[in-house]
Amino acid sequence: QAQQITAYLTDSPNGDYRLYLPHGYSLMAEEPGHDMVLSEQSERAMMRLSVHPASEAVWAQLLQQMSAGLAAGGSDGASVAVTPVLDTQALPQPVQRSAMMRATHAAGDVTGVVFEHHGLMVRLTIWDDQAQDLGDLLLRIGATVQPVTKAAS
């Protein structure tokens, strides 16, 4: 049985989206177009988000960036094997399309996810800390991305 966690709707400091963050996690702007979700439980467990309006060109670009980023390897510069992940049930439903890949490093797994939902293309890069095993929770946080609805003026 899944553990229920209280989370709070949080607006991105860097874009036109919001997501649900549980207590103990923070969302910060990293650079234009990219935000980070950080965990108070572990310095190694974190998630980078990149959110864009949906288009075929953006989909192809995000898939290429995800694959290249994972294959580039860890801090030691060694390339690593990247494997597709077929279990995408943590992603929002209905999701128009999705792709997920994982690379295993000595310090923990790095998971790349690209999905289309609510007219947005979302790319997640999740660094998991093997000791804490927070990757699934970070994926579930990323799956809550939704557009910010602008009030009519």
Side-chain angles (χ1 to χ4, degrees), residues 62-139:
L62 294 178
L63 286 176
Q64 188 278 330
Q65 290 172 348
M66 173 182 66
S67 180
L70 290 174
S75 57
D76 61 0
S79 62
V80 296
V82 177
T83 56
V85 176
L86 302 177
D87 180 14
T88 58
Q89 60 185 328
L91 294 177
Q93 297 301 323
V95 64
Q96 281 73 27
R97 54 187 160 173
S98 65
M100 188 181 306
M101 301 173 141
R102 182 166 292 134
T104 301
H105 302 270
D109 289 344
V110 180
T111 303
V113 182
V114 177
F115 64 92
E116 180 180 355
H117 186 61
H118 289 306
L120 298 174
M121 296 283 181
V122 180
R123 177 179 170 215
L124 309 174
T125 305
I126 301 168
W127 291 267
D128 196 3
D129 178 347
Q130 287 182 331
Q132 295 290 328
D133 195 22
L134 300 173
D136 286 344
L137 179 56
L138 287 166
L139 176 58

